Amino acid sequence: MAAPNIETITSLAKRRGFVFPSSEIYGGLGSAWDYGPLGVELSNNLKQAWWRWMVHERDDMEGIDSSIIMNRLVWKYSGHEETFSDPLVDCRDCKARLRADKLNYPAQDTRSIEEAIKQRAVQCPNCGSTDLTEPRPFNLMFRTAIGAASAEDDPSVLAYLRPETAQGIFINFLNVLTTSRRKLPFGIAQIGKSFRNEVTPGNFIFRTREFEQMEMEYFVRPGEDERVHQEWIDACFNWYLGLGLSAENLRFYEQPKEELAHYAKRTVDIHYRYFPEREDDERQWDELMGIANRTDFDLRAHSKKPEDAEGKRLNPDSTEDLSYFDEATKERFYPYVIEPAAGVNRSALAFLMDAYTEKINDKGEKRVVLKLHPHLAPIKVAVLPLAKNRPEIVQMAKDIKRTLQPAMRAVYDDTGGIGKLYARQDEIGTPFCVTIDHQSLEDEAVTVRDRDTWEQQRIKVADLREHLQKQLQVTSDK
Ligand code: ATP
């Protein structure tokens, strides 16, 4: 089972402290969200799991953390100033601003969206009007100014908040290559915030103007790119499966030529079934991550380049040539780049939706159990005293929590009856609850309850930390 729709997760997330609407006391800010106490743990766990898999557990990877605000020329030569835009359409009746490529338009209609809009064959999803303006490009980069001057008075101070983390990797290619003494193939990974002035943000944390990306640029010899690209497509899919997403809610999407970004030779997206409630199967899916073959576009674009036939440098502003010299073959060339690019927020949403299950307890009551993979679960163990009026039991529970907390995120809770306490932890995905009862005072043992099976096991306090650590290592069986 998975969540029946995004709204179910939105309300659970607000109620339990995963994600709150941002700036709510001032009326909010469109689609901006803040991670609460549980959300920040989930998001940190997700980023750690990705970093461990992508960087630590491989032999061919380095990591970096580059600036959000970079020299404007980065975005000039990457092509973003010119082309990083979405087609914007206005509804002349209700004044809604819409993204032309996201308008509801039957796939079997062979007209281009521009033609269909001109012929009034497309409806505004807001008011149903067919009176839409022609699509025009809207650049998604957020503009800012560096220092005290304004960019209107002095264009040289214009800067952008980065719309992707990838460019910070390309412009550091030589730095990383020379300091790490790497040889092809190798990759550079980065996790960080990106910003896009989205025309139509929405669907909770699926599309926001500020979001986090986990990106990796893998540099290979031209000619090896297609094989390596396919290997990364499969590896990324398996990573999501390994962390608990169900295969039936994931699919590959091969981007058709007309959808490809200006730098891409081939891009395969991994889609998640974010909208299971929609009748039309095709509309149930949307992008979780993209894996692109960016060719040598970016490294070339940022290179001062050896003089070309007409004696001109192609990038007159760059001071470096980002080509690679292969010592073995004595060849110099621009590596091809394979890029797996995932969103932290969209991944968190997919994991939350997929983990959502409902279960009926022995009293016939409905319980929500969030079957998050133990590596992702915000809290690993809750320590619960069965009799909070017995100071020795309370003390023992607090002591146990303290011995566990250097090894795992543990919480103590005595603010309800045991049924309620279990239900609370199930709903936020805590894999284990530990209860301390009268017997514990005598036999130095506690009850460990499993979130998914609700089975209970008696464990000696002396063995508890090691027992839980072992259990948390294993992959949860959904
Ligand atoms: P879309 O078509 O949905 O706008 P995109 O193809 O532009 O996405 P990429 O440029 O490939 O996205 O970015 C890589 C990943 O970053 C996406 O797969 C997604 O997980 C995440 N991402 C991109 N834009 C947003 C956003 N506005 N909000 C949240 N996550 C985003």
Side-chain angles (χ1 to χ4, degrees), residues 99 102 196 198 205-208 211 213 287-290 341-343 346:
R99 241 178 91 173
K102 296 278 172 188
R196 296 181 188 178
E198 297 279 358
I205 51 175
F206 178 81
R207 187 183 305 285
T208 50
F211 56 97
Q213 290 187 305
E287 178 178 331
L288 168 62
M289 74 171 295
R346 275 191 204 180

Side-chain angles (χ1 to χ4, degrees), residues 31-81:
S31 297
W33 300 89
D34 297 336
Y35 282 89
L38 298 178
V40 68
E41 298 287 347
L42 170 64
S43 143
N44 284 342
N45 291 343
L46 175 54
K47 288 184 274 183
Q48 265 169 24
W50 187 86
W51 195 260
R52 205 166 40 234
W53 169 72
M54 186 59 92
V55 183
H56 293 187
E57 292 175 0
R58 296 183 63 97
D59 305 318
D60 53 358
M61 200 64 63
E62 303 288 345
I64 64 162
D65 184 7
S66 69
S67 289
I68 287 174
I69 298 174
M70 293 182 260
N71 192 313
R72 177 192 165 188
L73 294 172
V74 172
W75 306 109
K76 174 175 171 184
Y77 288 102
S78 68
H80 283 76
E81 273 195 340

Side-chain angles (χ1 to χ4, degrees), residues 151-195:
E152 275 74 50
D153 301 334
D154 177 2
S156 72
V157 300
L158 174 64
Y160 302 103
L161 303 188
R162 68 179 176 200
E164 63 174 24
T165 63
Q167 295 304 323
I169 295 179
F170 296 129
I171 59 170
N172 277 294
F173 173 68
L174 274 190
N175 291 334
V176 176
L177 184 68
T178 47
T179 52
S180 65
R181 287 185 232 97
R182 286 283 179 186
K183 290 195 170 39
L184 295 188
F186 76 98
I188 306 177
Q190 166 157 238
I191 299 179
K193 289 243 167 149
S194 291
F195 303 81

Side-chain angles (χ1 to χ4, degrees), residues 6 9-10 19 31-33 35 99 102 196 198 200-212 269-275 278 283-289 342-350 353:
I6 289 185
I9 294 301
T10 312
V19 181
S31 297
W33 300 89
Y35 282 89
R99 241 178 91 173
K102 296 278 172 188
R196 296 181 188 178
E198 297 279 358
T200 45
N203 290 316
F204 190 38
I205 51 175
F206 178 81
R207 187 183 305 285
T208 50
R209 296 194 169 100
E210 172 180 347
F211 56 97
E212 233 173 338
D269 293 335
I270 296 178
H271 278 187
Y272 182 75
R273 199 192 295 272
Y274 286 104
F275 308 101
R278 292 182 180 168
R283 295 186 61 242
Q284 296 184 357
W285 302 89
D286 213 331
E287 178 178 331
L288 168 62
M289 74 171 295
V344 174
N345 319 64
R346 275 191 204 180
S347 299
L349 178 58
M353 289 187 75

Side-chain angles (χ1 to χ4, degrees), residues 103-106 109-124 128-132:
L103 289 173
N104 199 359
Y105 181 55
D109 198 320
T110 51
R111 284 173 291 192
S112 71
I113 189 79
E114 291 82 3
E115 271 177 75
I117 286 174
K118 263 195 228 160
Q119 292 165 12
R120 302 189 74 149
V122 183
Q123 280 190 334
C124 167
S129 163
T130 54
D131 193 5
L132 306 177

Side-chain angles (χ1 to χ4, degrees), residues 274-298:
Y274 286 104
F275 308 101
E277 76 282 10
R278 292 182 180 168
E279 264 172 38
D280 175 0
D281 178 73
E282 197 45 40
R283 295 186 61 242
Q284 296 184 357
W285 302 89
D286 213 331
E287 178 178 331
L288 168 62
M289 74 171 295
I291 305 121
N293 181 344
R294 292 182 80 125
T295 70
D296 55 2
F297 177 88
D298 301 272

